[in-house]
């Protein structure tokens, strides 16, 4: 079997997949959930419940009319005891609904269907939107928006992303092994929605068992237009742009989205959620995630209700040592948390617990750049991280922009390989933020100038008219 | 359950990094130079070359220490880079170098070649070669006085030094056929050059041992193959075009030491893949030009220093960014 990969760049770190053979089990249902209203990329939701309301599992508690948004649902049955700003795993505060569990586990009425043919395309899309499905790989982009590309854009391929190149995380792996049919159904739904010609499930070749199970089910079900392909185990193989290049040889234009080259990429966990939303009518009230790391006593893959606080999960899995670092996501791209009071959100693919060794895993102290060119050689985007870093340190955002800082996918490879332990990824992120801020300011300036110009012209016209 | 303390630290991703380090890289360079260094000791009479190396290394570290003090920098002795510069400088000195000259070379290398530019990573020129260049222009006779190798097989080691000329100098000042005659045949000349049984600088004579060190560095991913391969390849092809013996041209002189250990110095060589290849080709061309048309028999040092000066231009050959297409690459 041919093994695909992107080129150039990338790294081969130790995979640390401690939990790849641990089956998914339910984490305990928490007494209190904190559900942020903003868990997706896009416009925030406004609450549709008030304090004191009783909610059932799956009830919409926050919604928005904005095009790019996804509603949030209650993940337990109980009483709304608070609506306040709370810290989310991404480090920003969001208005959140706090619900106290009555442990009655009452669900809203779901509307299961038997066959995909029972629903029109609009009905399918509505189910996906109303279920609040977002990309579960971490980007949290609303799935319904991704599945409605602009008019006239032809999508020929749907890629199911089962690469799971992040270290430690094994949730996609377990999803593929335990729910192959749901993932296949998810692809079939997307193919139908987009009129695509075929589906591809791309899996890194360290998960051959998952590829075999999916392949077997595809053959048993007699499906012709879905193919399972292996990609080389190499970080960041699962990056959307890298995966498209590896599997199809296409490159998403700079600043563009995959649909511009006729592709939609969806994480396998998202595909499973889409299939549950469409067939079972089940909203996204829980998700599978990996809890791992050197300080976790019972590392494993757990199904966790959205809004469960990290502290409840830490109590559940136990600590082997003092906890010094709590990471939401994987070690390469995840976000270190300042408190254990943060909730699991839709985009939380893993929770990693580390003790004192976190500081030797990632030394903080920088030494001067020795121009070894490792960052240039390993960047999967072909950037020159060291030069963008220099530009930022000199506060030269224009140079950073010319060096294509905005094309950075923030995979962390440059910081990983740097022998001088320079904070390259961090600084490129800062440069990106700076450039975007600058653009906003300039756009505002331009708008103000245009407005003034128009005013002046109007005034002089009026003057002329008077004369 | 015993309660564990929770005391969280927030840092930016990635939260895991490769275990490499600057010290590790420099250590690998030292390891890679060891065979050539040991051969230099055996070849040129143990004590004298050993003292040159020791003095050069100690003087370099002292110069680095003084430089750090003068320029108010944090101590950078621990990163081993001064040690590497000291060793490299000693390996490109004639075995008969007076010790005071070694000290001046080492201070020139570290202070003039590195510290005044801001220390490690900021030097535009290879420090060891800056040190050597200072010595070559200041004491040209001392820097071109060569001693014959004393090693004639381990059974009959005699350490009586006799002066001689390097093979490149003989080929230049007399003729290549004379040189072949001296060594008996072309094959025995190649063999002497490959093994390193010829006059020359302490560490430059054995192409074989330098090649082993170079391959070690490439395997350990300390250096990129692009610079040495394009450099040596260019010298090979150009020498052939100029009607010289290409095999002799690449084995003789300091080419292997220069290509694997000098031209690949991080801060004075390009960081872009294409830039590295062009840089290797460029210094290859200059080496052959100097060897062919100038009064110097050897051209490695000056060509690398000249190449260093052009590095910012080679670095303009940036890699193509994903999703950014040249006009002709855009598919219709």
């Amino acid at each position: 079997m041919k093994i695909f990969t992107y080129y150039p760049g990338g790294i081969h770190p130790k995979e640390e997949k401690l939990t790849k053979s641990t089956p998914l089990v339910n984490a305990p249902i928490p007494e209190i959930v904190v559900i942020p209203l903003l868990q997706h990329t896009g416009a925030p939701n406004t609450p549709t419940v008030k304090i004191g309301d009783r909610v059932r599992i799956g009830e919409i508690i926050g919604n928005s009319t904005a095009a790019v948004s996804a509603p949030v649902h209650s993940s337990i049955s109980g009483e709304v005891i608070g609506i306040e700003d709370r810290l989310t795993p991404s480090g920003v505060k969001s208005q959140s609904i706090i619900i106290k569990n009555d442990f009655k586990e009452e669900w809203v009425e779901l509307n299961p269907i038997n066959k995909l043919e029972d629903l029109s395309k609009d009905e399918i899309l509505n189910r996906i939107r109303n279920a609040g499905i977002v990309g579960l790989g971490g980007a949290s982009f609303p799935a319904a928006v991704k599945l409605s590309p602009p008019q006239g854009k032809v999508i020929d391929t749907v890629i199911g992303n089962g690469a799971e190149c992040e270290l430690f995380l094994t949730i996609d792996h377990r999803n593929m092994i335990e729910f192959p049919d749901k993932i296949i159904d998810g692809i079939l739904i997307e193919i139908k929605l987009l009129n695509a010609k075929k589906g591809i499930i791309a899996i890194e070749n360290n998960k051959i068992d998952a590829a075999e199970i999916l392949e077997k089910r595809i053959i048993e079900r007699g499906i012709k237009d879905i193919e399972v392909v292996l990609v080389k185990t190499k970080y960041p193989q699962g990056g959307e742009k890298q995966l498209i290049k590896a599997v199809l040889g296409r490159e998403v234009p700079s600043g563009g989205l995959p649909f511009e080259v006729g592709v939609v990429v969806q994480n396998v966990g998202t595909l499973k959620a889409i299939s549950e939303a469409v067939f079972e009518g089940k909203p996204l009230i829980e998700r599978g995630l990996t809890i791992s790391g050197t300080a976790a006593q019972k590392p494993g893959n757990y199904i966790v209700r959205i809004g469960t606080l990290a502290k409840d999960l830490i109590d559940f899995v136990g600590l082997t040592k003092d906890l010094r670092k709590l990471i939401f996501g994987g070690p390469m791209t995840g976000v270190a948390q300042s408190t254990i009071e943060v909730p699991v959100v839709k985009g939380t693919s893993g929770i990693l617990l580390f003790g004192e060794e976190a500081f030797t895993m990632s030394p903080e102290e920088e030494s001067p750049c020795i121009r070894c060119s490792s960052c240039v050689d390993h960047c999967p985007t072909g950037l020159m991280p060291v030069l963008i870093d220099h530009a930022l340190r000199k506060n030269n955002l224009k140079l950073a922009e010319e060096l294509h800082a905005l094309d950075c996918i923030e995979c962390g490879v440059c910081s990983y390989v740097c022998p001088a332990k320079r904070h390259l990824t961090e600084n490129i992120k800062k440069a990106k933020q700076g450039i975007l801020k600058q653009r906003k300011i300039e756009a505002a300036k331009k708008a103000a100038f245009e407005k003034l110009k128009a005013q002046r012209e109007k005034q002089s016209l009026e003057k002329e008219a008077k004369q | 359950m015993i309660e564990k303390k929770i005391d969280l630290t927030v840092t930016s991703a990635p939260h895991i990094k490769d275990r490499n380090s600057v010290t590790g890289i420099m250590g690998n360079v030292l390891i890679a130079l060891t065979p050539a260094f040991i051969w230099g000791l055996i070849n040129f009479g143990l004590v004298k070359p050993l003292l040159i190396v020791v003095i050069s290394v100690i003087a370099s570290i002292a110069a680095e220490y003084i430089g750090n003090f003068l320029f108010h920098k944090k101590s950078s002795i621990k990163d081993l880079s001064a040690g590497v510069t000291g060793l490299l400088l000693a390996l490109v000195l004639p075995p008969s170098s007076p010790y005071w000259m070694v000290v001046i070379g080492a201070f020139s290398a570290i202070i003039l070649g590195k510290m005044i530019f801001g220390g490690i990573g900021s030097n535009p020129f290879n420090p060891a070669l800056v040190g050597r260049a200072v010595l070559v222009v200041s004491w040209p006779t001392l820097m071109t006085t060569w001693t014959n190798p004393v090693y004639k097989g381990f059974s009959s080691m005699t350490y009586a030094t006799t002066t001689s000329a390097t093979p490149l100098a003989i080929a230049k000042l007399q003729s290549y056929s004379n040189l072949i005659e001296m060594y008996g045949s072309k094959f025995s000349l190649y063999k002497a050059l490959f093994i390193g049984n010829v006059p020359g600088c302490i560490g430059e004579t054995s192409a074989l041992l330098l090649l082993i060190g170079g391959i070690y560095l490439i395997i350990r991913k300390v250096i990129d193959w692009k610079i040495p391969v394009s450099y040596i390849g260019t010298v090979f092809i150009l020498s052939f075009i100029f009607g010289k013996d290409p095999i002799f041209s690449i084995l003789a002189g300091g080419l292997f030491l220069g290509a694997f250990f000098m031209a690949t110095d991080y801060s004075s060589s390009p960081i872009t893949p294409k830039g590295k290849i062009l840089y290797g080709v460029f210094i290859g061309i200059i080496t052959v030009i100097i060897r062919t048309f100038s009064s110097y028999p050897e051209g490695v040092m000056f060509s690398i220093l000249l190449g260093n000066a052009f590095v910012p231009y080679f670095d303009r050959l940036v890699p193509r960014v994903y999703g950014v297409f040249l006009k002709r690459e855009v598919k219709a």
Side-chain angles (χ1 to χ4, degrees):
Chain A
M1 197 171 189
K2 197 185 162 202
I3 293 169
F4 296 85
T5 187
Y6 69 92
Y7 185 82
I11 48 172
H12 302 274
K14 201 166 162 244
E15 292 152 36
E16 309 278 7
K17 307 268 191 191
L18 318 172
T19 53
K20 64 177 181 187
S21 319
T22 323
L24 270 162
V25 291
N26 285 311
I29 295 158
E31 201 157 326
I32 285 193
V33 289
V34 176
I35 302 179
L37 288 172
L38 182 60
Q39 298 186 38
H40 54 266
T41 311
N45 293 308
T46 43
T48 55
V49 290
K50 50 187 193 303
I51 295 175
D53 281 359
R54 186 168 188 282
V55 289
R56 288 168 297 165
I57 301 175
E59 206 165 307
I60 290 185
I61 54 174
N63 210 341
S64 163
T65 50
V68 182
S69 67
V72 292
H73 305 76
S74 176
S75 56
I76 52 175
S77 62
E79 187 191 333
V80 177
I81 56 164
I83 300 178
E84 57 192 54
D85 282 356
R86 284 292 188 99
L87 202 63
T88 66
S90 60
V92 294
K93 280 191 171 177
S94 159
Q95 196 179 31
S96 306
I97 313 274
I98 299 146
I99 302 165
K100 193 175 184 312
N101 205 339
D102 60 11
F103 292 99
K104 289 190 179 138
E105 286 293 284
E106 257 183 285
W107 280 76
V108 290
E109 207 176 308
L110 305 178
N111 258 323
I113 55 157
N114 293 321
K115 296 198 306 289
L116 200 53
E117 288 72 34
D118 294 350
L119 296 174
S120 74
K121 275 188 194 177
D122 280 344
E123 284 170 325
I124 296 176
L125 213 53
N126 261 333
R127 279 189 173 228
I128 295 173
R129 196 201 122 73
N130 291 337
I133 313 287
V134 301
L136 300 186
S140 300
F141 193 78
V145 181
K146 208 176 199 176
L147 292 172
S148 1
Q151 284 274 306
K153 288 283 173 193
V154 180
I155 305 292
D156 57 23
T157 313
V158 174
I159 299 179
N161 186 352
E164 195 162 56
C165 57
E166 253 289 14
L167 318 179
F168 285 95
L169 303 188
T170 55
I171 184 60
D172 290 346
H173 191 177
R174 292 314 305 175
N175 272 334
M176 289 189 286
I177 286 178
E178 297 179 35
F179 306 101
D181 282 305
K182 288 188 177 178
I183 289 162
I184 293 166
D185 286 336
I187 294 234
L188 290 174
I189 292 166
E190 296 209 346
I191 289 178
K192 180 174 172 176
L193 277 177
L194 297 162
N195 290 322
K197 287 198 201 75
K198 68 169 185 175
I200 295 172
I201 303 173
I203 302 167
E204 269 190 355
N205 62 350
N206 60 357
K207 294 179 271 290
I208 292 190
D209 49 349
E212 281 169 352
I213 288 174
L214 279 162
E215 181 106 52
K216 187 169 154 249
R217 284 303 298 151
I218 288 169
I219 293 167
E220 281 170 359
R221 291 172 59 176
I223 297 165
K224 291 278 181 302
D225 36 14
I226 300 182
E227 190 191 348
V228 177
V229 304
L230 288 181
V231 290
K232 200 171 151 195
T233 304
K234 163 164 124 172
Y235 181 86
Q237 191 72 262
E240 197 168 63
K241 292 177 169 182
Q242 277 60 38
L243 197 64
I244 293 172
K245 189 166 178 187
V247 173
L248 297 171
R250 301 179 198 169
E251 260 184 45
V252 182
S254 169
L257 291 168
F259 70 76
E260 290 173 44
V261 289
V263 188
V264 160
V265 181
Q266 205 78 269
N267 167 275
V268 288
T270 319
L271 290 169
K272 168 179 172 268
I274 285 176
S275 137
E276 287 171 350
V278 173
F279 284 101
E280 300 163 28
K282 181 184 163 191
L284 190 59
I285 56 106
E286 60 188 7
R287 67 157 295 157
L289 55 84
T290 302
I291 303 180
S292 186
T294 44
Q297 208 167 52
K298 284 186 289 175
N301 301 292
Y302 299 102
I303 296 169
V304 179
R305 296 283 169 95
I306 303 293
T308 306
L309 293 175
K311 67 172 180 190
D312 292 335
L313 293 170
I314 294 169
D315 278 346
F316 169 59
V317 299
L319 291 173
T320 58
K321 51 181 98 170
D322 291 349
L323 184 66
R324 296 307 310 275
K325 221 170 189 182
L326 168 66
I327 298 165
F328 269 50
M332 291 299 290
T333 56
V335 183
Q337 303 298 324
S338 58
T339 159
I340 55 171
E341 299 276 344
V342 281
V344 166
V345 294
K346 294 174 185 177
T348 307
S349 48
I351 293 178
L352 301 181
L353 312 172
F354 293 105
E356 208 63 43
E357 68 283 358
F359 307 116
T360 44
M361 277 165 60
S362 168
E364 274 299 294
E365 203 191 333
E366 296 181 302
S367 61
C369 167
I370 56 168
R371 281 177 55 91
C372 69
S373 81
S374 257
C375 56
V376 180
D377 295 336
H378 291 92
C379 178
T381 310
L383 301 178
M384 307 226 281
V386 53
L387 298 188
I388 301 175
D389 177 54
H390 284 333
L392 180 87
R393 283 171 205 249
K394 288 179 192 154
N395 224 347
N396 189 345
L397 288 177
K398 196 160 166 273
L399 179 61
E401 194 174 352
E402 279 167 19
L403 290 163
H404 294 281
L406 291 180
D407 284 290
C408 171
I409 59 166
E410 303 179 12
C411 63
V413 162
C414 46
S415 289
Y416 179 89
V417 297
C418 181
K421 311 298 166 201
R422 313 270 299 166
H423 300 175
L424 298 168
T425 313
E426 185 182 340
N427 283 344
I428 297 172
K429 282 184 206 167
K430 282 185 195 159
K432 285 173 79 171
Q433 286 161 5
I435 292 165
L436 293 175
K437 203 173 148 195
Q438 198 74 33
R439 278 191 184 177
K440 252 189 202 162
I441 293 171
E442 254 145 52
K445 267 188 197 164
K446 209 177 158 191
F449 176 73
E450 295 291 333
K451 203 176 150 193
L452 200 68
K453 208 169 117 189
Q455 239 172 29
R456 287 270 163 83
E457 271 169 18
K458 203 177 150 197
Q459 277 171 2
S460 60
L461 277 178
E462 278 168 7
K463 242 184 212 171
E464 269 173 40
K466 271 181 197 166
Q467 282 166 357
Chain B
M1 195 182 90
I2 311 151
E3 276 299 311
K4 302 287 178 198
K5 247 185 26 218
I6 293 175
D7 176 14
L8 298 179
T9 313
V10 177
T11 55
S12 186
H15 306 286
I16 192 165
K17 287 173 187 165
D18 197 23
R19 285 177 178 270
N20 61 4
S21 67
V22 176
T23 311
I25 288 169
M26 295 301 162
N28 265 325
V29 176
L30 291 177
I31 291 170
L33 281 169
T34 306
F37 158 62
I38 291 174
W39 174 249
L41 300 188
I42 296 170
N43 210 12
F44 296 110
L46 288 177
V47 183
K48 173 91 183 174
L50 181 64
L51 275 174
I52 290 177
V53 169
V54 170
I55 288 170
S56 178
V57 169
I58 291 175
S60 296
I61 292 171
E64 178 107 352
Y65 186 81
I66 293 168
N68 283 329
F69 176 75
L70 284 180
F71 302 116
H72 304 288
K73 293 235 164 207
K74 244 183 2 194
S75 170
S76 51
I77 310 292
K78 264 197 315 202
D79 66 25
L80 296 181
S81 66
V84 168
T85 303
L87 179 58
L88 276 172
L89 175 69
L91 295 186
V92 294
L93 292 178
S96 56
S97 306
Y99 302 128
W100 55 265
M101 192 177 80
V102 178
V103 175
I104 292 175
F107 270 77
S108 308
I110 298 291
I111 303 287
L112 287 182
K114 183 169 151 192
M115 298 313 285
I116 58 167
F117 295 107
I120 188 167
S122 302
N123 47 298
F125 298 99
N126 183 314
L129 290 183
V130 169
R132 186 177 196 270
V134 167
L135 301 182
V136 166
V137 294
S138 307
W139 295 281
T141 327
L142 287 175
M143 288 298 288
T144 47
T145 304
W146 309 103
T147 46
N148 266 326
V150 293
Y151 172 69
K152 303 271 187 276
F154 283 101
S155 54
S156 58
M157 269 207 221
T158 53
Y159 286 133
T161 49
T162 48
T163 54
S164 170
T166 64
L168 274 173
I170 295 170
K172 175 136 205 151
L173 302 172
Q174 303 173 28
S175 74
Y176 185 44
S177 48
N178 273 7
L179 182 69
I180 295 174
E181 226 169 85
M182 277 176 66
Y183 283 86
S185 69
K186 222 181 206 182
F187 179 75
S188 44
L189 171 64
Y190 290 165
K191 197 178 140 195
L193 288 168
F194 194 61
I195 304 293
N197 223 332
V198 291
C201 296
I202 295 170
E204 72 174 10
T205 57
S206 173
L208 169 68
L209 297 177
L210 291 165
L211 188 64
I212 290 172
I215 289 171
Y216 171 79
L217 288 185
I218 291 172
I219 290 172
R220 297 304 301 265
K221 300 211 162 103
V222 172
I223 62 169
D224 198 326
W225 58 270
K226 293 186 191 77
I227 293 172
V229 168
S230 60
Y231 184 13
I232 296 170
T234 305
V235 171
F236 187 87
I237 293 165
L238 265 190
S239 301
F240 180 74
I241 293 170
F242 279 122
K244 295 197 198 168
D245 180 354
I247 298 174
F248 169 71
S249 297
I250 63 165
L251 291 180
L255 185 65
F256 274 47
L257 183 59
F260 287 109
F261 296 95
M262 296 287 193
T264 52
D265 170 51
Y266 286 150
S267 59
S268 58
S269 66
I271 55 173
T272 64
K274 285 179 214 157
K276 283 176 184 167
I277 290 185
L278 200 70
Y279 165 80
V281 171
F282 177 82
I283 52 180
I285 293 171
I286 302 294
T287 301
V288 176
I289 288 178
I290 293 176
R291 281 181 176 182
T292 313
F293 300 107
S294 82
S295 55
Y296 282 101
E298 174 61 293
V300 170
M301 177 183 77
F302 284 121
S303 60
I304 293 176
L305 287 173
L306 196 61
N308 291 164
F310 283 93
V311 161
Y313 292 92
F314 299 129
D315 270 342
R316 290 193 175 187
L317 291 169
V318 295
R320 191 180 69 83
V321 175
Y322 180 107
V324 176
F325 307 99
L326 295 174
K327 277 199 179 110
R328 60 185 163 82
E329 279 178 298
V330 177
K331 278 177 200 157

